[in-house]
Amino acid sequence: MASETPGTDLVSPPPGPSSGAEQESKSLSEGNEESPGAVDKEAGKDHDAGAPACVTGAQGTAELLSLVDRLAALDSEGWFQVPVTDAQAPGYSSIIKHPMCLQTMRARAQAQAYESWGELVRDFELLCSNAMRYNQKRSRIHKQV
């Protein structure tokens, strides 16, 4: 999410049509029964129809890291890979109180800090909401989110 001033971008837009990041992001953040982190209203537990209820252990960690890698692959410009600094985006730390990036998400997955798919989804949604809050609606970064 690097930018010189709030709402401007440093990199040129990607050529051609959307890479599918918008659709992937939408399916992850809708919170429906088919997306990671959907809440089972009866059991009150985070779950995904195709994912294990528990994300602990080597298999859970591998699955979370695989998902973070898939999200990272959708970030063709690299805006969401590493923490944003005030040097890249002036005033970022005064506007965004809880920064999030894919590097942080990957580190949390490796440290087995996620107890559910929903926690990873919430971090991804935080990443997206931070990008939309800092960048103007007409910016490429806001639109990519």
Side-chain angles (χ1 to χ4, degrees), residues 1 21 24-25 28 64-84 92 98-111 114 120-128 130-131 144-145:
M1 287 185 280
E24 181 82 10
S25 171
L28 289 175
L64 290 173
L65 288 171
S66 175
L67 179 56
V68 173
D69 289 343
R70 286 178 48 208
L71 293 170
L74 295 172
D75 179 20
S76 61
E77 298 294 332
W79 289 320
F80 310 109
Q81 299 295 323
V82 296
V84 176
Y92 189 82
H98 303 285
M100 184 53 58
C101 68
L102 294 167
Q103 182 182 67
T104 300
M105 292 173 63
R106 187 174 287 110
R108 287 183 180 178
Q110 289 171 334
Y114 291 118
L120 183 130
V121 170
R122 281 188 287 282
D123 275 354
F124 179 70
E125 289 173 341
L126 175 62
L127 181 153
C128 294
N130 288 347
Q144 183 175 350
V145 170

Side-chain angles (χ1 to χ4, degrees), residues 3-80:
S3 57
E4 293 175 4
T5 58
T8 62
D9 303 326
L10 293 176
V11 241
S12 61
S18 167
S19 66
E22 185 177 301
Q23 187 170 354
E24 181 82 10
S25 171
K26 183 179 177 185
S27 78
L28 289 175
S29 64
E30 284 179 340
N32 63 29
E33 292 297 320
E34 297 175 6
S35 68
V39 175
D40 181 340
K41 291 177 177 72
E42 292 177 18
K45 301 280 185 183
D46 290 334
H47 79 284
D48 172 34
C54 182
V55 293
T56 59
Q59 182 178 355
T61 299
E63 290 173 1
L64 290 173
L65 288 171
S66 175
L67 179 56
V68 173
D69 289 343
R70 286 178 48 208
L71 293 170
L74 295 172
D75 179 20
S76 61
E77 298 294 332
W79 289 320
F80 310 109

Side-chain angles (χ1 to χ4, degrees), residues 1 84-86 89-97 99-100 130-131 134:
M1 287 185 280
V84 176
T85 66
D86 281 330
Y92 189 82
S93 63
S94 65
I95 296 168
I96 303 301
K97 300 302 179 191
M100 184 53 58
N130 288 347
Y134 182 80

